[in-house]
C-alpha cells in the first residue's frame, strides 16, 4: 500500500472565525507566509463573526482562501457548530492540508479541530492548555478548549501554566511547546505612542481632563442578570466620579446591546460606541486609566500596557496577571464591582500597586516559535525550538 508522505512546502490550513481568533492568528499567518519554501499557508474563515472579523482581516492584509460566511443574527451554538462543520468538511476535502491550525476556544476552534479529525488530518492548537477547571465558565469556551485539545496533535501553549495543565491531562511533553501568546505579537505591531486618535464616536471626550474607564462585556454566562448588575454598577460609578468618562465599545451581539442601551444610553460622560477596529481599540486601551472587562484577550493585553484590569467574571483561565497583581477578579455583583472600582479611583496607592506593566503572556516572538515548532514537527530541523520564558513577572512602567 502506498503511504502518503507529505513533502515541503507543507500545506497548512489556518481556520478561524471570530475577532479574537483573527487578531491572534494574524501574526502566525504572516510569519508562515515569510517561508513559502517550507509552508504554503491557506486561510479558511467560518465567519462566525462578520464585521468584527473583517476589520481584522483588513488590518493585517489577510485575504481568506475560503469564507463560509456562516454568521446569522442571534445564532445558537448548535447553528454555529453544524454550519461550520458541514462547511469545513468541503473545505478540507478541497484544500487537502497536511495540518490544520486552530486557535483558542471558540466554537469555530472546536469544530475545525473535529472536522480535521474526521478526515484524519493532524491538528495544531494555538493558545492551548488554558483551563479554569469549571466546565461551565467560561461557557462554552472551557469545554471548546478541552475538546480541541483532545483532538490536537501539536499543542502551542502560551505559558508554562498552560503547558502544565496539558501535562496533567496526560498529553505527552514532546507534543507541547511553550511559545508565549501571539496576542503580544499583534499588540506590539499595532501600538504606537504617537497614534493619532480619531473620533470613532468619541468627539467631545477630553482625554486630558477625564480619566477614561474602558469597558467591554459579552460573555454568554453573563447574559441577562449579571450584565444588568454590571451595567448598573458602571452607571452609578460614573455618577460618583465626575472626573471620569466611561467608554464602552458595545459588542454587536443584540443581547448585549439591548441591555447596554437600556441602562447606559444617554448618561452623562458615558460613550456607548460601535465596536472599534483593533488598531484604535488597543491605542485607546493604551490611554485608558482603568479597564473593566469579561474578555479573555483584554486580560492579556492590558497588563502588558500597565493598565489595571477588573475582571467581570467569577473565574479566569488566565491566572498569571492575577498573580502579578495587575488583574483582579471582581465577579458580576453590583456591590463588588462598585467597591473595587471606587477604591482604584480614590486610593492612589491601591491604583499604583496594580498599574505596572507585566508581561507573563509573551515577548512578541510567539509566532516565530510556532513556526519553529512546525518546522520541527515536519522534520525540517532536528533541533527542538527554544521555549518562551517570561523575563520578569514585574517590570516598571
Ligand atoms: C464568540 C465566541 C467567544 C468569543 C467571542 C469574541 C463562541 C461560542 N463564542 O462569542 O468565545 O469570546 O466570540 O467576541 O464561539 N455579531 C454581529 N457581527 C459580528 C459579530 C457578532 O452581528 O461581527 C452578532 C450576531 O448577532 C451573532 C452574535 O453577535 O449572532 C453573537 O455572536 P457569536 O459568535 O455567536 O457569539 P459571541 O458572543 O460573539
Ligand atoms: N477588541 C477590538 N475592538 C473592540 C473590543 C475589543 O479590536 O471594540 C479586541 C481586543 O483588543 C482583543 C480582542 O478584540 O484583542 C478581544 O476580543 P473579545 O473580547 O471579543 O473576545 P475574547 O478575548 O473574550 O475571546
Amino acid at each position: 500500500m502506498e503511504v502518503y508522505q507529505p513533502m515541503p512546502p507543507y500545506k497548512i490550513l489556518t481556520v478561524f472565525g471570530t475577532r479574537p481568533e483573527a487578531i491572534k492568528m494574524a501574526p502566525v499567518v504572516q510569519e508562515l507566509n515569510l517561508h513559502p519554501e517550507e509552508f504554503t499557508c491557506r486561510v479558511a474563515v467560518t465567519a462566525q463573526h462578520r464585521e468584527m472579523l473583517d476589520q481584522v482581516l483588513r488590518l493585517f492584509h489577510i485575504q481568506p482562501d475560503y469564507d463560509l460566511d456562516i454568521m446569522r443574527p442571534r445564532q445558537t451554538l448548535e447553528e454555529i457548530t453544524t454550519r461550520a462543520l458541514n462547511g469545513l468538511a468541503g473545505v478540507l476535502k478541497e484544500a487537502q492540508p497536511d495540518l490544520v491550525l486552530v486557535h483558542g476556544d471558540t466554537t469555530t476552534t472546536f469544530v475545525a479541530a473535529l472536522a480535521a479529525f474526521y478526515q484524519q488530518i493532524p491538528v495544531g492548537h494555538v493558545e492551548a492548555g488554558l483551563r479554569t477547571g469549571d466546565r461551565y465558565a467560561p461557557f462554552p469556551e472551557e469545554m471548546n478548549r478541552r475538546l480541541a485539545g483532545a483532538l490536537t496533535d501539536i499543542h502551542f501553549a502560551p505559558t508554562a501554566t498552560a503547558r502544565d495543565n496539558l501535562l496533567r491531562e496526560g498529553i505527552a511533553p514532546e507534543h507541547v511547546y511553550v511559545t508565549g501568546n501571539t496576542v503580544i505579537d499583534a499588540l506590539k505591531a499595532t501600538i504606537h505612542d504617537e497614534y493619532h486618535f480619531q473620533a470613532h464616536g468619541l468627539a467631545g471626550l477630553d482625554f486630558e481632563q477625564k480619566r477614561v474607564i474602558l469597558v467591554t462585556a459579552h460573555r454568554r454566562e453573563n447574559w441577562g442578570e449579571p450584565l444588568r448588575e454590571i451595567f448598573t454598577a458602571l452607571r452609578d460609578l460614573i455618577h460618583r466620579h465626575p472626573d471620569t468618562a466611561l467608554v464602552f465599545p458595545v459588542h454587536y451581539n443584540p443581547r448585549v446591546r439591548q441591555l447596554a442601551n437600556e441602562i447606559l444610553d444617554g448618561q452623562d460622560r458615558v460613550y456607548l460606541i460601535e465596536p472599534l477596529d483593533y488598531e484604535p481599540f488597543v491605542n485607546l486601551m493604551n490611554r485608558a486609566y482603568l479597564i473593566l472587562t469579561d474578555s479573555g484577550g483584554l486580560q492579556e493585553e492590558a497588563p502588558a500596557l500597565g493598565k489595571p484590569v477588573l475582571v467581570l467574571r467569577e473565574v479566569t483561565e488566565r491566572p498569571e496577571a492575577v498573580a502579578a497583581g495587575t488583574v483582579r477578579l471582581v465577579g458580576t455583583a453590583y456591590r463588588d464591582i462598585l467597591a473595587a472600582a471606587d477604591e482604584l479611583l480614590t486610593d492612589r496607592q491601591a491604583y499604583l500597586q496594580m498599574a505596572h506593566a507585566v508581561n507573563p503572556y509573551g515577548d512578541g516572538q510567539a509566532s516565530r516559535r510556532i513556526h519553529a515548532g512546525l518546522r520541527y514537527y515536519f522534520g525540517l530541523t532536528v533541533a527542538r525550538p527554544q521555549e518562551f520564558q517570561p523575563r520578569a513577572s514585574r517590570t516598571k512602567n
Side-chain angles (χ1 to χ4, degrees):
M1 195 176 85
E2 220 176 285
V3 179
Y4 171 63
Q5 283 291 355
M7 300 283 289
Y10 298 104
K11 290 187 278 177
I12 308 287
L13 184 74
T14 56
V15 183
F16 48 90
T18 64
R19 169 171 70 190
E21 292 167 270
I23 291 166
K24 292 169 166 183
M25 214 51 144
V28 179
V29 171
Q30 290 180 331
E31 181 64 34
L32 292 178
N33 280 337
L34 293 177
H35 307 277
E37 69 295 352
E38 298 170 351
F39 298 108
T40 306
C41 180
R42 299 270 178 264
V43 174
V45 294
T46 60
Q48 177 180 333
H49 286 172
R50 187 72 275 173
E51 303 89 332
M52 284 161 53
L53 171 74
D54 290 345
Q55 56 101 358
V56 185
L57 296 175
R58 277 194 302 274
L59 176 67
F60 290 98
H61 308 291
I62 294 174
Q63 285 197 333
D65 300 277
Y66 305 91
D67 188 334
L68 299 178
D69 198 25
I70 66 164
M71 194 195 85
R72 300 289 178 277
R74 293 177 181 263
Q75 58 203 0
T76 64
L77 294 175
E78 291 79 5
E79 286 165 350
I80 306 170
T81 304
T82 51
R83 272 203 288 272
L85 190 60
N86 286 326
L88 285 171
V91 170
L92 293 180
K93 281 208 177 75
E94 192 183 318
Q96 300 271 316
D98 298 315
L99 182 129
V100 167
L101 212 48
V102 300
H103 180 281
D105 61 6
T106 72
T107 295
T108 288
T109 313
F110 156 55
V111 170
L114 183 63
F117 172 74
Y118 282 165
Q119 296 190 30
Q120 300 189 17
I121 300 167
V123 175
H125 188 196
V126 178
E127 202 185 76
L130 280 65
R131 298 286 186 273
T132 62
D134 178 346
R135 64 201 331 235
Y136 290 110
F139 175 82
E141 289 83 4
E142 170 81 0
M143 190 52 75
N144 280 342
R145 212 186 280 271
R146 288 196 219 173
L147 293 168
L151 297 163
T152 288
D153 298 82
I154 169 166
H155 307 256
F156 297 108
T159 65
T161 313
R163 175 201 54 210
D164 292 348
N165 290 336
L166 291 167
L167 301 186
R168 260 197 303 278
E169 291 173 12
I171 307 286
E174 61 268 29
H175 298 154
V176 183
Y177 302 80
V178 181
T179 60
N181 198 311
T182 58
V183 76
I184 305 297
D185 302 20
L187 189 71
K188 286 197 165 183
T190 316
I191 286 275
H192 315 289
D193 282 336
E194 71 290 358
Y195 181 77
H196 181 64
F197 197 78
Q198 294 178 344
H200 299 291
L202 296 176
L205 172 56
D206 183 346
F207 285 91
E208 306 302 320
Q209 299 297 321
K210 297 282 182 261
R211 291 187 289 176
V212 170
I213 302 175
L214 180 61
V215 171
T216 76
H218 70 277
R219 298 241 79 80
R220 265 185 167 69
E221 64 273 20
N222 283 347
W223 291 355
E225 208 40 45
L227 275 187
R228 183 173 288 283
E229 295 229 2
I230 291 169
F231 296 161
T232 310
L234 292 171
R235 183 195 64 196
D236 294 352
L237 182 73
I238 294 298
H239 280 174
R240 285 188 197 185
H241 300 278
D243 67 331
T244 62
L246 183 89
V247 179
F248 181 4
V250 187
H251 191 290
Y252 282 125
N253 189 331
R255 291 173 179 88
V256 177
R257 302 206 131 201
Q258 216 170 325
L259 215 48
N261 283 333
E262 181 190 319
I263 299 169
L264 290 165
D265 193 27
Q267 301 288 320
D268 270 357
R269 291 174 282 108
V270 169
Y271 294 80
L272 287 189
I273 58 174
E274 295 298 312
L276 286 169
D277 286 0
Y278 179 63
E279 189 175 31
F281 182 80
V282 289
N283 284 288
L284 176 64
M285 188 156 51
N286 202 22
R287 287 201 174 182
Y289 187 77
L290 171 64
I291 294 171
L292 283 87
T293 188
D294 65 8
S295 157
L298 265 76
Q299 292 177 60
E300 297 154 345
E301 294 163 334
L305 301 173
K307 305 296 173 179
V309 183
L310 299 179
V311 176
L312 306 165
R313 300 194 198 179
E314 307 301 333
V315 286
T316 182
E317 65 285 66
R318 293 167 168 90
E320 294 88 351
V322 177
T326 35
V327 169
R328 196 184 295 167
L329 276 178
V330 291
T332 58
Y334 172 90
R335 276 170 192 279
D336 297 340
I337 298 167
L338 257 189
D342 258 342
E343 187 194 6
L344 292 179
L345 291 172
T346 49
D347 181 342
R348 185 81 188 141
Q349 209 44 45
Y351 179 85
L352 289 176
Q353 271 186 7
M354 284 186 81
H356 51 265
V358 293
N359 235 330
Y361 296 113
D363 57 0
Q365 303 296 321
S367 314
R368 287 206 192 151
R369 292 194 189 92
I370 290 166
H371 166 238
L374 289 171
R375 293 188 78 232
Y376 181 69
Y377 176 83
F378 281 105
L380 289 167
T381 174
V382 289
R384 201 180 145 88
Q386 290 218 325
E387 301 207 322
F388 165 65
Q389 293 185 341
R391 252 177 298 148
S393 65
R394 184 174 174 148
T395 52
K396 243 189 143 55
N397 198 3

